[in-house]
DNA sequence: CCAGAATATCCTGCTGACCGCATATAACGA
DNA sequence: TCGTTATATGCGGTCAGCAGGATATTCTGG
């Protein structure tokens, strides 16, 4: 994990929001992230791909849905840095609203059951 | 301090190297950083200016020399994140060599006495 | 006032990031 | 096989970041 790439990945509002949301929620599919961000799906998908290529996040296919989570092999210093950021910014905007928007979302795919909208 | 700007500032090898060196050494003038980086002075200066505009570092004029240090008003979460990075990367390249290069530099301006090169 | 050292800024070209839109792929159910 | 849902990718235009080189600014000492 080259640090330059990691910080470049964090240097975008949407990516930082998604990453902090993943850090707080554990694992989310693209439709959940799209809903929480209030952004267009292709944009969410492309920014997720960017973070995946850098090794920040990992994807897992489960039927129609693709779940993203923090990459398990992320070095400890990166996890510590992210934890510091989440601790400092998680309670403020826009991250608080992001979690709220996610909570009010209906028909979320839980695990692998239930259907989506 | 907007996080995007902070991470964008860290998303460049030269800036990250300079910042970690400042974090380790406390305060350095431009000529010391230029020597340690082995880069052209205008480039060092411009990247320092970029970090200054974002609020990452602060400059202090002392005669001919301008000393840079980590900005005192940096929020705690940013300091924690930087500490995690420094702790994880400080012992490896290129940051180890940077400190070594700085140590072998002659005629460093100490405090405000002594002349430079 | 003049020379020189340390630092900052201007200019130009270039590459890469970003966006919006449209479309392609993959999986599931009937 | 067909339609539908979820996700990814290709394309074109625009804009910001970056490098190099030259030059300007600021301070010091004489």
């Amino acid at each position: 994990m080259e640090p330059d790439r990691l910080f470049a990945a964090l240097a975008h509002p949407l990516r930082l929001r998604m990453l902090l949301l993943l850090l707080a929620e554990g694992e989310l599919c693209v439709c959940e992230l799209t809903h929480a961000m209030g952004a267009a799906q292709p944009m969410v998908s492309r920014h997720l791909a960017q973070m995946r290529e850098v090794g920040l996040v990992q994807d897992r296919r489960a039927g129609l849905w693709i779940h993203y989570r923090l990459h398990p092999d992320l070095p400890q210093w990166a996890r510590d840095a992210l934890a510091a950021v989440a601790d400092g910014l998680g309670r403020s905007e826009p991250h608080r609203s992001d979690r709220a928007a996610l909570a009010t979302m209906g028909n979320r795919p839980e695990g692998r059951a239930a259907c989506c909208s």
Side-chain angles (χ1 to χ4, degrees), chain A:
Chain A
M1 162 76 57
E2 298 103 15
D4 320 336
R5 298 280 182 182
L6 173 106
F7 292 125
L10 299 178
H12 191 286
L14 191 64
R15 288 195 296 263
L16 182 63
R17 287 169 60 198
M18 293 198 291
L19 197 71
L20 289 196
L21 197 58
L22 285 174
L23 202 58
E25 302 285 334
E27 197 181 55
L28 295 171
C29 74
V30 179
C31 63
E32 289 171 316
L33 286 164
T34 301
H35 179 96
M37 296 298 108
Q41 176 269 325
M43 177 159 322
V44 169
S45 188
R46 184 175 295 123
H47 283 293
L48 281 171
Q50 211 166 325
M51 291 197 284
R52 176 174 13 103
E53 286 159 13
V54 172
L56 245 185
V57 297
Q58 194 185 47
D59 61 337
R60 171 180 73 91
R61 175 137 232 162
L64 270 182
W65 299 277
I66 299 186
H67 297 267
Y68 281 84
R69 79 189 104 181
L70 214 66
H71 200 293
D73 299 341
L74 209 58
Q76 191 57 40
W77 62 266
R79 290 182 174 274
D80 292 343
L82 287 177
V85 175
D87 195 54
L89 300 179
R91 262 81 184 181
S92 55
E93 293 308 319
H95 311 289
R96 189 163 188 76
S97 305
D98 288 344
R99 286 196 303 275
L102 179 64
T104 65
M105 175 183 177
N107 287 337
R108 296 173 58 186
E110 309 188 4
R112 52 192 298 88
C115 184
C116 203
S117 129

